[in-house]
Amino acid sequence: MSQKQLKEAFISNLNGTSLLEISAGLSLAPLCLLCRGLLLILYYLHHGKPVSSRKYSLLLDFLVLVSPLLFSCTVLSPIIFFMPVILAAFCAGIFSRIYSQRKREARAPFGQIVKEFQKTYLDPEYIPAITVFRVYVNVLTSISILAVDFPQYPRRYAKAETYGTGVMDLGVGAFIFGNALVCPEVRQKSYVTQPRFSILARQVFSVWPLISLGVGRLLSVKSIEYHEHTSEYGVHWNFFFTLAFVRLAASLLLAIFPKHKAWLVALALAGLYQLLLSTTSLKAFILHGSDGRDSRLGFLDANREGLLSLLGYLAIYLASVQVGLWLLRRRASVRGWLEALRELALAILALFVLLRLCQACTEPVSRRVANLPFCTWVLAHCLLLLGLFVLTDLTLVFTRLLVEGSSVPCCWKVVQPPDSSKKHGMEAVPVGREDKLSELCLIGAINKNQLLFFLLANVMTGAVNILIDTIHSKAAFTLCILHSYMFLNCLIMYILHARNIVLKFW
């Protein structure tokens, strides 16, 4: 076999992992974020000032926010279930130290602090969990697209061939989910007063970079005969095209239907698509081609996975729009967000129950066809991760109350109680405030240029695969390559952020 065939075989015919293992892995990112925040508060407690060095800030962020995730999906994957316990114990130790030192200062008792915490007002115009969710999905995706070509990356984490729940399968859906949380239909305060189709017109213009990137990837992959997994999206299709067309189709539907009914449109679309898969020959066509022998004749046949899975991804996007609208309801106090966490927990539980029913009554999860179980699975785990980030943010707000004057980048800002004479019920906008919270933050840096970060990750992944025999790499060499690759990408984002450069021209 040629090197190209070896690499294609290395990422093909896989079956995924368990839902429990994926859930355990998802808890690592919020715990890393919590650990970073607690370390910064502890540093402030000891020195009376925040970390002022950009060099040390970047190093701390990379070592705490990124490096543990690299280890967890490579050499530490056999103990993945113990890693959340270890990180949680470490965070508990830091919190205990912060509280014990604060307690010696004869401040308010713990019960009074809890009561004050519940009454605390938070900046309603910036929800850090949205930013952190989107950044971490980007980071985890960037890690996986290169790590999957190394033998240290467990095969069960890679994309499943037909049925199964791999970590990378979830990443595809999470990318759609994260994009929908900040789409124009969610963010626009004046959406109701504007012509609905004006949003669609702007979306047509805004997706041209994605289409350009899709064309660029297609041409580059074909010209250098780069290894590719055809059954992911087809011969000519790729994920950039999926992102672009899902955004366009969703804008069209949201121009026709009320945006607060997006979940109903998503449910109807996913249900109808699953009905077609179960009662017609559509599923057989997607999996085996028009002749039943995996033919790739004609554009539709050659790209059947990418084209037809658009229906499932569109349903995920529309459901995520509903989640975004729910998140942006004005909840000024901590008490309101604690109630929101309870609602989120109930929604997650309902989705997992629905997932079990869907798999029992229809078929297993399949990213390849983006069926109803896949949509349900993606939404359940994305809400789980989002809820964990909200819980992390609230924990950091509580800890900051113990140490007056402390701050954590990309965390909620405590504000004064709102004037009771002001009108309530207005929607908040989750953009435009994160850069004001802190200059020294890797999360803020990546958030500023997310598309560039993802593009650089793809380019560097291709370069590494061309230059290195990844399949036969040893563990130490693999970790060195992955850390260098991620650090370089993060460093570029950090430098752009420090110079206030946003490479967005559409």
Side-chain angles (χ1 to χ4, degrees), residues 65-110:
L65 298 179
V66 179
S67 190
L69 304 178
L70 277 169
F71 280 102
S72 69
C73 67
T74 52
V75 294
L76 295 183
S77 58
I79 59 167
I80 189 68
F81 289 104
F82 295 100
M83 289 193 65
V85 178
I86 295 170
L87 280 174
F90 185 66
C91 290
I94 301 174
F95 177 83
S96 177
R97 185 168 181 179
I98 293 172
Y99 180 73
S100 62
Q101 292 189 6
R102 200 274 183 183
K103 193 174 182 181
R104 285 199 298 267
E105 298 173 5
R107 302 286 180 89
F110 186 80

mmCIF file of all heavy atoms in Angstrom, residues 65-110:
data_model
loop_
_atom_site.group_PDB
_atom_site.id
_atom_site.type_symbol
_atom_site.label_atom_id
_atom_site.label_comp_id
_atom_site.label_asym_id
_atom_site.label_seq_id
_atom_site.Cartn_x
_atom_site.Cartn_y
_atom_site.Cartn_z
ATOM 1 N N LEU A 65 -4.824 25.374 29.935
ATOM 2 C CA LEU A 65 -6.041 25.298 29.130
ATOM 3 C C LEU A 65 -5.931 24.345 27.941
ATOM 4 O O LEU A 65 -6.937 23.805 27.487
ATOM 5 C CB LEU A 65 -6.422 26.686 28.604
ATOM 6 C CG LEU A 65 -6.738 27.754 29.647
ATOM 7 C CD1 LEU A 65 -7.061 29.078 28.966
ATOM 8 C CD2 LEU A 65 -7.879 27.322 30.548
ATOM 9 N N VAL A 66 -4.729 24.158 27.417
ATOM 10 C CA VAL A 66 -4.563 23.378 26.186
ATOM 11 C C VAL A 66 -3.812 22.069 26.412
ATOM 12 O O VAL A 66 -4.247 21.006 25.973
ATOM 13 C CB VAL A 66 -3.835 24.218 25.106
ATOM 14 C CG1 VAL A 66 -3.645 23.398 23.830
ATOM 15 C CG2 VAL A 66 -4.610 25.495 24.804
ATOM 16 N N SER A 67 -2.685 22.143 27.088
ATOM 17 C CA SER A 67 -1.821 20.971 27.236
ATOM 18 C C SER A 67 -2.515 19.752 27.864
ATOM 19 O O SER A 67 -2.337 18.623 27.389
ATOM 20 C CB SER A 67 -0.582 21.342 28.052
ATOM 21 O OG SER A 67 0.371 20.306 28.011
ATOM 22 N N PRO A 68 -3.329 19.911 28.922
ATOM 23 C CA PRO A 68 -4.017 18.728 29.475
ATOM 24 C C PRO A 68 -4.913 18.026 28.465
ATOM 25 O O PRO A 68 -5.074 16.802 28.514
ATOM 26 C CB PRO A 68 -4.831 19.316 30.632
ATOM 27 C CG PRO A 68 -4.113 20.559 31.019
ATOM 28 C CD PRO A 68 -3.580 21.117 29.740
ATOM 29 N N LEU A 69 -5.496 18.786 27.550
ATOM 30 C CA LEU A 69 -6.369 18.190 26.537
ATOM 31 C C LEU A 69 -5.555 17.386 25.527
ATOM 32 O O LEU A 69 -6.012 16.352 25.030
ATOM 33 C CB LEU A 69 -7.174 19.278 25.820
ATOM 34 C CG LEU A 69 -8.016 20.180 26.727
ATOM 35 C CD1 LEU A 69 -8.734 21.236 25.914
ATOM 36 C CD2 LEU A 69 -9.008 19.352 27.521
ATOM 37 N N LEU A 70 -4.338 17.859 25.229
ATOM 38 C CA LEU A 70 -3.446 17.112 24.344
ATOM 39 C C LEU A 70 -3.068 15.770 24.962
ATOM 40 O O LEU A 70 -3.083 14.736 24.292
ATOM 41 C CB LEU A 70 -2.183 17.932 24.074
ATOM 42 C CG LEU A 70 -2.250 18.983 22.971
ATOM 43 C CD1 LEU A 70 -1.023 19.881 23.013
ATOM 44 C CD2 LEU A 70 -2.358 18.329 21.618
ATOM 45 N N PHE A 71 -2.735 15.798 26.239
ATOM 46 C CA PHE A 71 -2.361 14.554 26.919
ATOM 47 C C PHE A 71 -3.562 13.608 27.041
ATOM 48 O O PHE A 71 -3.418 12.390 26.911
ATOM 49 C CB PHE A 71 -1.800 14.859 28.309
ATOM 50 C CG PHE A 71 -0.376 15.311 28.310
ATOM 51 C CD1 PHE A 71 -0.053 16.651 28.461
ATOM 52 C CD2 PHE A 71 0.660 14.396 28.142
ATOM 53 C CE1 PHE A 71 1.264 17.079 28.458
ATOM 54 C CE2 PHE A 71 1.982 14.807 28.140
ATOM 55 C CZ PHE A 71 2.292 16.155 28.294
ATOM 56 N N SER A 72 -4.753 14.173 27.286
ATOM 57 C CA SER A 72 -5.932 13.330 27.530
ATOM 58 C C SER A 72 -6.364 12.545 26.298
ATOM 59 O O SER A 72 -6.982 11.486 26.427
ATOM 60 C CB SER A 72 -7.099 14.194 28.021
ATOM 61 O OG SER A 72 -7.570 15.043 26.992
ATOM 62 N N CYS A 73 -6.061 13.058 25.102
ATOM 63 C CA CYS A 73 -6.472 12.355 23.888
ATOM 64 C C CYS A 73 -5.315 11.584 23.258
ATOM 65 O O CYS A 73 -5.425 11.123 22.124
ATOM 66 C CB CYS A 73 -7.084 13.316 22.872
ATOM 67 S SG CYS A 73 -5.939 14.510 22.190
ATOM 68 N N THR A 74 -4.221 11.454 23.997
ATOM 69 C CA THR A 74 -3.076 10.665 23.499
ATOM 70 C C THR A 74 -2.619 9.688 24.581
ATOM 71 O O THR A 74 -3.270 8.675 24.797
ATOM 72 C CB THR A 74 -1.921 11.596 23.061
ATOM 73 O OG1 THR A 74 -1.609 12.522 24.105
ATOM 74 C CG2 THR A 74 -2.300 12.381 21.808
ATOM 75 N N VAL A 75 -1.525 10.006 25.257
ATOM 76 C CA VAL A 75 -0.911 9.032 26.180
ATOM 77 C C VAL A 75 -1.722 8.802 27.449
ATOM 78 O O VAL A 75 -1.579 7.754 28.093
ATOM 79 C CB VAL A 75 0.524 9.468 26.544
ATOM 80 C CG1 VAL A 75 1.421 9.425 25.322
ATOM 81 C CG2 VAL A 75 0.540 10.869 27.163
ATOM 82 N N LEU A 76 -2.564 9.767 27.834
ATOM 83 C CA LEU A 76 -3.360 9.604 29.054
ATOM 84 C C LEU A 76 -4.780 9.124 28.777
ATOM 85 O O LEU A 76 -5.586 9.031 29.707
ATOM 86 C CB LEU A 76 -3.412 10.926 29.841
ATOM 87 C CG LEU A 76 -2.082 11.434 30.410
ATOM 88 C CD1 LEU A 76 -2.298 12.696 31.229
ATOM 89 C CD2 LEU A 76 -1.415 10.361 31.276
ATOM 90 N N SER A 77 -5.089 8.798 27.544
ATOM 91 C CA SER A 77 -6.446 8.331 27.214
ATOM 92 C C SER A 77 -6.837 7.046 27.948
ATOM 93 O O SER A 77 -8.029 6.866 28.239
ATOM 94 C CB SER A 77 -6.581 8.133 25.701
ATOM 95 O OG SER A 77 -5.621 7.211 25.218
ATOM 96 N N PRO A 78 -5.891 6.142 28.299
ATOM 97 C CA PRO A 78 -6.318 4.953 29.055
ATOM 98 C C PRO A 78 -6.866 5.270 30.448
ATOM 99 O O PRO A 78 -7.592 4.461 31.017
ATOM 100 C CB PRO A 78 -5.023 4.124 29.153
ATOM 101 C CG PRO A 78 -4.209 4.549 27.976
ATOM 102 C CD PRO A 78 -4.495 6.005 27.833
ATOM 103 N N ILE A 79 -6.509 6.435 31.001
ATOM 104 C CA ILE A 79 -7.014 6.791 32.338
ATOM 105 C C ILE A 79 -7.939 8.005 32.251
ATOM 106 O O ILE A 79 -7.992 8.823 33.176
ATOM 107 C CB ILE A 79 -5.855 7.057 33.311
ATOM 108 C CG1 ILE A 79 -4.967 8.200 32.801
ATOM 109 C CG2 ILE A 79 -5.036 5.804 33.544
ATOM 110 C CD1 ILE A 79 -3.994 8.726 33.849
ATOM 111 N N ILE A 80 -8.657 8.122 31.142
ATOM 112 C CA ILE A 80 -9.492 9.297 30.914
ATOM 113 C C ILE A 80 -10.538 9.483 32.009
ATOM 114 O O ILE A 80 -10.897 10.613 32.366
ATOM 115 C CB ILE A 80 -10.180 9.205 29.523
ATOM 116 C CG1 ILE A 80 -10.892 10.520 29.169
ATOM 117 C CG2 ILE A 80 -11.151 8.034 29.473
ATOM 118 C CD1 ILE A 80 -9.985 11.670 28.931
ATOM 119 N N PHE A 81 -11.022 8.372 32.608
ATOM 120 C CA PHE A 81 -12.046 8.488 33.646
ATOM 121 C C PHE A 81 -11.472 9.021 34.955
ATOM 122 O O PHE A 81 -12.215 9.533 35.798
ATOM 123 C CB PHE A 81 -12.721 7.139 33.876
ATOM 124 C CG PHE A 81 -13.624 6.714 32.752
ATOM 125 C CD1 PHE A 81 -13.227 5.741 31.852
ATOM 126 C CD2 PHE A 81 -14.861 7.298 32.574
ATOM 127 C CE1 PHE A 81 -14.049 5.345 30.810
ATOM 128 C CE2 PHE A 81 -15.695 6.928 31.530
ATOM 129 C CZ PHE A 81 -15.287 5.946 30.646
ATOM 130 N N PHE A 82 -10.167 8.885 35.161
ATOM 131 C CA PHE A 82 -9.551 9.381 36.384
ATOM 132 C C PHE A 82 -9.137 10.844 36.270
ATOM 133 O O PHE A 82 -8.969 11.526 37.281
ATOM 134 C CB PHE A 82 -8.322 8.536 36.739
ATOM 135 C CG PHE A 82 -8.651 7.121 37.088
ATOM 136 C CD1 PHE A 82 -8.487 6.098 36.158
ATOM 137 C CD2 PHE A 82 -9.139 6.792 38.347
ATOM 138 C CE1 PHE A 82 -8.797 4.787 36.484
ATOM 139 C CE2 PHE A 82 -9.449 5.488 38.686
ATOM 140 C CZ PHE A 82 -9.287 4.482 37.747
ATOM 141 N N MET A 83 -8.956 11.326 35.052
ATOM 142 C CA MET A 83 -8.463 12.688 34.865
ATOM 143 C C MET A 83 -9.417 13.755 35.404
ATOM 144 O O MET A 83 -8.971 14.710 36.046
ATOM 145 C CB MET A 83 -8.142 12.934 33.401
ATOM 146 C CG MET A 83 -6.907 12.192 32.921
ATOM 147 S SD MET A 83 -6.327 12.764 31.319
ATOM 148 C CE MET A 83 -5.831 14.441 31.696
ATOM 149 N N PRO A 84 -10.740 13.653 35.190
ATOM 150 C CA PRO A 84 -11.626 14.648 35.803
ATOM 151 C C PRO A 84 -11.551 14.634 37.326
ATOM 152 O O PRO A 84 -11.616 15.696 37.959
ATOM 153 C CB PRO A 84 -13.025 14.225 35.311
ATOM 154 C CG PRO A 84 -12.773 13.454 34.068
ATOM 155 C CD PRO A 84 -11.477 12.746 34.288
ATOM 156 N N VAL A 85 -11.385 13.452 37.899
ATOM 157 C CA VAL A 85 -11.277 13.347 39.364
ATOM 158 C C VAL A 85 -10.011 14.036 39.853
ATOM 159 O O VAL A 85 -10.022 14.779 40.845
ATOM 160 C CB VAL A 85 -11.291 11.865 39.788
ATOM 161 C CG1 VAL A 85 -11.130 11.754 41.302
ATOM 162 C CG2 VAL A 85 -12.572 11.185 39.336
ATOM 163 N N ILE A 86 -8.903 13.801 39.144
ATOM 164 C CA ILE A 86 -7.622 14.415 39.529
ATOM 165 C C ILE A 86 -7.694 15.932 39.413
ATOM 166 O O ILE A 86 -7.278 16.666 40.324
ATOM 167 C CB ILE A 86 -6.480 13.854 38.645
ATOM 168 C CG1 ILE A 86 -6.300 12.355 38.912
ATOM 169 C CG2 ILE A 86 -5.186 14.604 38.904
ATOM 170 C CD1 ILE A 86 -5.369 11.672 37.929
ATOM 171 N N LEU A 87 -8.238 16.421 38.282
ATOM 172 C CA LEU A 87 -8.345 17.868 38.092
ATOM 173 C C LEU A 87 -9.301 18.510 39.103
ATOM 174 O O LEU A 87 -9.026 19.595 39.629
ATOM 175 C CB LEU A 87 -8.823 18.170 36.669
ATOM 176 C CG LEU A 87 -7.771 18.122 35.568
ATOM 177 C CD1 LEU A 87 -8.425 18.290 34.201
ATOM 178 C CD2 LEU A 87 -6.715 19.192 35.772
ATOM 179 N N ALA A 88 -10.412 17.825 39.381
ATOM 180 C CA ALA A 88 -11.378 18.353 40.349
ATOM 181 C C ALA A 88 -10.755 18.416 41.746
ATOM 182 O O ALA A 88 -10.973 19.391 42.486
ATOM 183 C CB ALA A 88 -12.633 17.489 40.361
ATOM 184 N N ALA A 89 -9.980 17.406 42.111
ATOM 185 C CA ALA A 89 -9.317 17.406 43.416
ATOM 186 C C ALA A 89 -8.295 18.537 43.497
ATOM 187 O O ALA A 89 -8.162 19.202 44.539
ATOM 188 C CB ALA A 89 -8.636 16.055 43.648
ATOM 189 N N PHE A 90 -7.581 18.771 42.400
ATOM 190 C CA PHE A 90 -6.604 19.854 42.371
ATOM 191 C C PHE A 90 -7.297 21.205 42.529
ATOM 192 O O PHE A 90 -6.833 22.073 43.285
ATOM 193 C CB PHE A 90 -5.816 19.796 41.058
ATOM 194 C CG PHE A 90 -4.694 20.792 40.961
ATOM 195 C CD1 PHE A 90 -3.606 20.700 41.797
ATOM 196 C CD2 PHE A 90 -4.748 21.815 40.037
ATOM 197 C CE1 PHE A 90 -2.566 21.621 41.719
ATOM 198 C CE2 PHE A 90 -3.719 22.742 39.938
ATOM 199 C CZ PHE A 90 -2.620 22.647 40.791
ATOM 200 N N CYS A 91 -8.412 21.386 41.826
ATOM 201 C CA CYS A 91 -9.179 22.633 41.947
ATOM 202 C C CYS A 91 -9.722 22.814 43.363
ATOM 203 O O CYS A 91 -9.703 23.928 43.904
ATOM 204 C CB CYS A 91 -10.335 22.639 40.946
ATOM 205 S SG CYS A 91 -9.822 22.790 39.217
ATOM 206 N N ALA A 92 -10.192 21.727 43.957
ATOM 207 C CA ALA A 92 -10.708 21.801 45.325
ATOM 208 C C ALA A 92 -9.606 22.204 46.298
ATOM 209 O O ALA A 92 -9.842 22.975 47.242
ATOM 210 C CB ALA A 92 -11.304 20.451 45.730
ATOM 211 N N GLY A 93 -8.394 21.700 46.067
ATOM 212 C CA GLY A 93 -7.268 22.074 46.922
ATOM 213 C C GLY A 93 -6.933 23.550 46.812
ATOM 214 O O GLY A 93 -6.666 24.220 47.819
ATOM 215 N N ILE A 94 -6.954 24.087 45.588
ATOM 216 C CA ILE A 94 -6.666 25.521 45.394
ATOM 217 C C ILE A 94 -7.749 26.366 46.052
ATOM 218 O O ILE A 94 -7.461 27.359 46.734
ATOM 219 C CB ILE A 94 -6.570 25.859 43.891
ATOM 220 C CG1 ILE A 94 -5.476 25.037 43.217
ATOM 221 C CG2 ILE A 94 -6.290 27.351 43.704
ATOM 222 C CD1 ILE A 94 -5.431 25.209 41.711
ATOM 223 N N PHE A 95 -9.022 25.972 45.850
ATOM 224 C CA PHE A 95 -10.124 26.725 46.452
ATOM 225 C C PHE A 95 -10.026 26.698 47.974
ATOM 226 O O PHE A 95 -10.249 27.724 48.637
ATOM 227 C CB PHE A 95 -11.469 26.150 46.016
ATOM 228 C CG PHE A 95 -12.648 26.825 46.639
ATOM 229 C CD1 PHE A 95 -13.151 28.007 46.112
ATOM 230 C CD2 PHE A 95 -13.246 26.301 47.782
ATOM 231 C CE1 PHE A 95 -14.229 28.652 46.700
ATOM 232 C CE2 PHE A 95 -14.323 26.937 48.376
ATOM 233 C CZ PHE A 95 -14.820 28.118 47.839
ATOM 234 N N SER A 96 -9.690 25.537 48.534
ATOM 235 C CA SER A 96 -9.565 25.422 49.988
ATOM 236 C C SER A 96 -8.492 26.364 50.525
ATOM 237 O O SER A 96 -8.669 27.007 51.563
ATOM 238 C CB SER A 96 -9.236 23.974 50.359
ATOM 239 O OG SER A 96 -9.037 23.849 51.761
ATOM 240 N N ARG A 97 -7.390 26.471 49.786
ATOM 241 C CA ARG A 97 -6.321 27.368 50.211
ATOM 242 C C ARG A 97 -6.760 28.826 50.142
ATOM 243 O O ARG A 97 -6.470 29.624 51.043
ATOM 244 C CB ARG A 97 -5.085 27.138 49.350
ATOM 245 C CG ARG A 97 -3.878 27.938 49.797
ATOM 246 C CD ARG A 97 -2.619 27.478 49.110
ATOM 247 N NE ARG A 97 -1.474 28.240 49.556
ATOM 248 C CZ ARG A 97 -0.244 28.044 49.132
ATOM 249 N NH1 ARG A 97 0.001 27.074 48.238
ATOM 250 N NH2 ARG A 97 0.764 28.779 49.584
ATOM 251 N N ILE A 98 -7.470 29.163 49.067
ATOM 252 C CA ILE A 98 -7.968 30.538 48.941
ATOM 253 C C ILE A 98 -8.925 30.864 50.080
ATOM 254 O O ILE A 98 -8.822 31.917 50.724
ATOM 255 C CB ILE A 98 -8.665 30.730 47.579
ATOM 256 C CG1 ILE A 98 -7.658 30.643 46.431
ATOM 257 C CG2 ILE A 98 -9.403 32.074 47.530
ATOM 258 C CD1 ILE A 98 -8.295 30.624 45.051
ATOM 259 N N TYR A 99 -9.841 29.944 50.354
ATOM 260 C CA TYR A 99 -10.838 30.208 51.391
ATOM 261 C C TYR A 99 -10.217 30.254 52.784
ATOM 262 O O TYR A 99 -10.587 31.094 53.604
ATOM 263 C CB TYR A 99 -11.931 29.139 51.345
ATOM 264 C CG TYR A 99 -13.000 29.366 52.389
ATOM 265 C CD1 TYR A 99 -13.920 30.403 52.237
ATOM 266 C CD2 TYR A 99 -13.070 28.571 53.540
ATOM 267 C CE1 TYR A 99 -14.893 30.638 53.195
ATOM 268 C CE2 TYR A 99 -14.035 28.808 54.498
ATOM 269 C CZ TYR A 99 -14.945 29.848 54.316
ATOM 270 O OH TYR A 99 -15.891 30.082 55.266
ATOM 271 N N SER A 100 -9.278 29.367 53.051
ATOM 272 C CA SER A 100 -8.663 29.341 54.382
ATOM 273 C C SER A 100 -7.873 30.623 54.642
ATOM 274 O O SER A 100 -7.911 31.171 55.754
ATOM 275 C CB SER A 100 -7.745 28.128 54.527
ATOM 276 O OG SER A 100 -6.677 28.193 53.592
ATOM 277 N N GLN A 101 -7.177 31.127 53.648
ATOM 278 C CA GLN A 101 -6.432 32.368 53.822
ATOM 279 C C GLN A 101 -7.381 33.551 53.950
ATOM 280 O O GLN A 101 -7.143 34.467 54.729
ATOM 281 C CB GLN A 101 -5.477 32.579 52.648
ATOM 282 C CG GLN A 101 -4.353 31.559 52.617
ATOM 283 C CD GLN A 101 -3.297 31.901 51.581
ATOM 284 O OE1 GLN A 101 -3.351 32.951 50.956
ATOM 285 N NE2 GLN A 101 -2.336 31.012 51.410
ATOM 286 N N ARG A 102 -8.463 33.485 53.235
ATOM 287 C CA ARG A 102 -9.449 34.557 53.321
ATOM 288 C C ARG A 102 -10.146 34.512 54.679
ATOM 289 O O ARG A 102 -10.450 35.546 55.266
ATOM 290 C CB ARG A 102 -10.464 34.358 52.197
ATOM 291 C CG ARG A 102 -11.283 35.582 51.792
ATOM 292 C CD ARG A 102 -12.475 35.783 52.600
ATOM 293 N NE ARG A 102 -13.306 36.891 52.200
ATOM 294 C CZ ARG A 102 -14.392 37.234 52.863
ATOM 295 N NH1 ARG A 102 -14.744 36.559 53.926
ATOM 296 N NH2 ARG A 102 -15.118 38.252 52.477
ATOM 297 N N LYS A 103 -10.350 33.297 55.215
ATOM 298 C CA LYS A 103 -11.032 33.135 56.491
ATOM 299 C C LYS A 103 -10.210 33.711 57.641
ATOM 300 O O LYS A 103 -10.748 34.252 58.608
ATOM 301 C CB LYS A 103 -11.315 31.652 56.729
ATOM 302 C CG LYS A 103 -12.286 31.361 57.860
ATOM 303 C CD LYS A 103 -12.598 29.884 57.919
ATOM 304 C CE LYS A 103 -13.608 29.598 59.018
ATOM 305 N NZ LYS A 103 -13.910 28.140 59.090
ATOM 306 N N ARG A 104 -8.895 33.616 57.545
ATOM 307 C CA ARG A 104 -8.026 34.129 58.592
ATOM 308 C C ARG A 104 -8.075 35.647 58.681
ATOM 309 O O ARG A 104 -7.675 36.247 59.665
ATOM 310 C CB ARG A 104 -6.579 33.693 58.335
ATOM 311 C CG ARG A 104 -6.319 32.231 58.652
ATOM 312 C CD ARG A 104 -4.837 31.989 58.834
ATOM 313 N NE ARG A 104 -4.072 32.286 57.637
ATOM 314 C CZ ARG A 104 -3.763 31.398 56.714
ATOM 315 N NH1 ARG A 104 -4.165 30.146 56.843
ATOM 316 N NH2 ARG A 104 -3.053 31.742 55.649
ATOM 317 N N GLU A 105 -8.578 36.273 57.647
ATOM 318 C CA GLU A 105 -8.688 37.730 57.648
ATOM 319 C C GLU A 105 -9.955 38.211 58.353
ATOM 320 O O GLU A 105 -10.289 39.389 58.296
ATOM 321 C CB GLU A 105 -8.664 38.243 56.207
ATOM 322 C CG GLU A 105 -7.366 37.922 55.490
ATOM 323 C CD GLU A 105 -7.437 38.283 54.019
ATOM 324 O OE1 GLU A 105 -8.463 38.867 53.611
ATOM 325 O OE2 GLU A 105 -6.489 37.988 53.273
ATOM 326 N N ALA A 106 -10.689 37.272 58.953
ATOM 327 C CA ALA A 106 -11.889 37.596 59.739
ATOM 328 C C ALA A 106 -12.943 38.298 58.902
ATOM 329 O O ALA A 106 -13.551 39.280 59.315
ATOM 330 C CB ALA A 106 -11.522 38.453 60.953
ATOM 331 N N ARG A 107 -13.158 37.777 57.709
ATOM 332 C CA ARG A 107 -14.215 38.325 56.860
ATOM 333 C C ARG A 107 -15.555 37.680 57.226
ATOM 334 O O ARG A 107 -15.693 37.012 58.248
ATOM 335 C CB ARG A 107 -13.878 38.076 55.400
ATOM 336 C CG ARG A 107 -12.553 38.670 54.949
ATOM 337 C CD ARG A 107 -12.635 40.188 54.795
ATOM 338 N NE ARG A 107 -11.357 40.754 54.361
ATOM 339 C CZ ARG A 107 -11.000 40.901 53.110
ATOM 340 N NH1 ARG A 107 -11.803 40.497 52.150
ATOM 341 N NH2 ARG A 107 -9.844 41.454 52.799
ATOM 342 N N ALA A 108 -16.546 37.858 56.363
ATOM 343 C CA ALA A 108 -17.889 37.339 56.624
ATOM 344 C C ALA A 108 -17.897 35.817 56.648
ATOM 345 O O ALA A 108 -17.091 35.171 55.970
ATOM 346 C CB ALA A 108 -18.843 37.847 55.545
ATOM 347 N N PRO A 109 -18.789 35.188 57.412
ATOM 348 C CA PRO A 109 -18.883 33.732 57.436
ATOM 349 C C PRO A 109 -19.384 33.176 56.103
ATOM 350 O O PRO A 109 -19.957 33.902 55.286
ATOM 351 C CB PRO A 109 -19.888 33.463 58.562
ATOM 352 C CG PRO A 109 -20.665 34.735 58.695
ATOM 353 C CD PRO A 109 -19.720 35.837 58.344
ATOM 354 N N PHE A 110 -19.190 31.866 55.927
ATOM 355 C CA PHE A 110 -19.496 31.232 54.645
ATOM 356 C C PHE A 110 -20.966 31.386 54.268
ATOM 357 O O PHE A 110 -21.284 31.664 53.111
ATOM 358 C CB PHE A 110 -19.126 29.747 54.717
ATOM 359 C CG PHE A 110 -19.260 29.034 53.400
ATOM 360 C CD1 PHE A 110 -18.285 29.144 52.434
ATOM 361 C CD2 PHE A 110 -20.376 28.246 53.121
ATOM 362 C CE1 PHE A 110 -18.393 28.501 51.219
ATOM 363 C CE2 PHE A 110 -20.504 27.597 51.916
ATOM 364 C CZ PHE A 110 -19.503 27.724 50.959
#
